[in-house]
Amino acid sequence: MAAAAEESGWRRVGFVGAGRMAEAIARGLIQAGKVEAEHMLASAPSDKNLCRFRAMGCQTTHSNPEVLRSCSLVFFATKPHILPAVLVEVAPAVTAEHILVSVAAGVSLSTLEELLPPTARVLRVSPNLPCIVQEGAMVMARGRHAGSYEARLLRSLLEACGQCEEVPEAQVDIHTGLSGSGVAFVCAFSEALAEGAIKMGMPSGLAHRIAAQTLLGTAKVLLQKGQHPAQLRTDVCTPGGTTIYGLHVLEQGGLRATAMSAVEAATCRARELSRK
Ligand SMILES: NC(=O)c1ccc[n+]([C@@H]2O[C@H](COP(=O)([O-])OP(=O)(O)OC[C@H]3O[C@@H](n4cnc5c(N)ncnc54)[C@H](OP(=O)(O)O)[C@@H]3O)[C@@H](O)[C@H]2O)c1
């Protein structure tokens, strides 16, 4: 097992559910050298996704309780509506040694704690798909029996997949609206930018590459300089120049109000799903 895992004394990392998000986290952990692939075990009902785990060198099984029996740190990465039944299934295998982490959108810490043994150490993470290239934007919240040790451990692991900050649970659904769903919003914007260029005569492949790189470069400047977006926007806006003409059109189209409403709508939907 890699250094981080040895230091913290836990045995293996498990994944119950082996889809896109589990794979993104597993890849990040392996690529950052936090956990060796052979020390990871993933479960799912079919081989559809497990074959990708095997290709990474991980162990796989069709038994969820087996993941709990062999791993002390377990990520639950099934779809949210499946998770309650999965938790009931694995609950008898949960011990005081386990650290249990749910990535399921909209499943609250209290629901997780209700379905697991009373003192289970539970945390909730809201990830996003760019974890797959170690550029995730994640937040996590801890349950009643997870202390600062568990939070530190999880954070140090997840930093292999991008940024991870601890927040009060009330902010997790907002993160889902901003960042989980935000990936799709940003894709829509990138696509629209590229299509503007295609309309003006640029070849499609080039337009999409340039649009995506423009998002990446802008994000890097904002993060590395710690700048407010309004400052950077002002910096590229020459009086009477091209950018202010374009920005005027975006304002007429209500881009900002629409983006704000999109995050609001996705957050409200996440909250609605949490209550179900
Ligand atoms: N994708 C995102 O961008 C994103 C962002 C934030 C949060 N999340 C959360 O991440 C979780 C997983 O999403 P995903 O996109 O990775 O879903 P996904 O690709 O559909 O993967 C779901 C996995 O769960 C497995 N599964 C189904 N029933 C199971 C059971 N009874 N026991 C164990 N495993 C079972 C599936 O098995 P098979 O392989 O046999 O189909 C599959 O491996 C969701 O709760 C979602 O809310 C996802």
Side-chain angles (χ1 to χ4, degrees):
M1 185 162 303
E6 274 168 10
E7 277 164 27
S8 47
W10 31 270
R11 289 168 294 161
R12 299 167 78 195
V13 172
F15 293 89
V16 172
R20 284 163 300 180
M21 193 44 68
E23 184 189 343
I25 294 172
R27 275 193 195 282
L29 296 180
I30 294 167
Q31 281 174 17
K34 297 267 184 183
V35 187
E36 285 168 19
E38 70 211 54
H39 292 121
M40 289 190 190
L41 174 64
S43 68
S46 78
D47 277 326
K48 193 176 83 190
N49 292 295
L50 287 181
C51 57
R52 282 202 295 280
F53 272 81
R54 285 197 288 274
M56 289 192 274
C58 303
Q59 313 280 313
T60 63
T61 174
H62 294 303
S63 160
N64 296 334
E66 190 188 333
V67 175
L68 277 287
R69 287 194 293 271
S70 356
C71 305
S72 32
L73 184 90
V74 177
F75 288 94
F76 289 92
T78 66
K79 288 289 186 201
H81 66 283
I82 296 191
L83 189 56
V86 167
L87 294 178
V88 169
E89 180 195 4
V90 301
V94 172
T95 69
E97 260 192 65
H98 283 109
I99 298 175
L100 306 171
V101 182
S102 165
V103 303
V107 180
S108 68
L109 283 165
S110 64
T111 300
L112 298 168
E113 286 175 339
E114 262 165 39
L115 296 167
L116 289 165
T119 57
R121 293 184 288 169
V122 180
L123 299 101
R124 187 179 163 196
V125 170
S126 179
N128 70 349
L129 210 58
C131 287
I132 207 150
V133 290
Q134 291 88 57
E135 291 291 354
M138 293 164 280
V139 296
M140 64 170 177
R142 44 177 136 140
R144 282 179 300 150
H145 305 289
S148 53
Y149 163 75
E150 289 81 10
R152 257 199 328 275
L153 172 67
L154 182 61
R155 192 172 168 176
S156 89
L157 273 183
L158 288 179
E159 276 169 358
C161 306
Q163 291 185 17
C164 181
E165 300 195 35
E166 188 175 355
V167 296
E169 190 183 18
Q171 291 175 21
V172 172
D173 288 334
I174 306 175
H175 175 273
T176 302
L178 169 64
S179 184
S181 306
V183 172
F185 307 157
V186 170
C187 284
F189 185 63
S190 183
E191 193 183 358
L193 284 181
E195 283 175 350
I198 294 165
K199 186 176 178 195
M200 300 312 292
M202 187 179 273
S204 168
L206 179 63
H208 285 290
R209 284 195 300 280
I210 298 284
Q213 179 64 29
T214 303
L215 298 185
L216 177 70
T218 308
K220 275 195 170 171
V221 175
L222 290 177
L223 289 171
Q224 286 177 10
K225 291 195 167 181
Q227 250 180 359
H228 192 286
Q231 180 60 54
L232 182 54
R233 182 170 51 76
T234 308
D235 289 348
V236 291
C237 214
T238 312
T242 58
T243 311
I244 192 65
Y245 273 70
L247 281 171
H248 189 189
V249 176
L250 287 179
E251 294 294 350
Q252 282 169 335
L255 174 88
R256 277 202 276 184
T258 307
M260 285 169 71
S261 298
V263 174
E264 184 181 23
T267 303
C268 291
R269 180 64 179 149
R271 287 183 178 153
E272 194 179 296
L273 293 173
S274 307
R275 283 193 294 272
K276 278 190 181 163

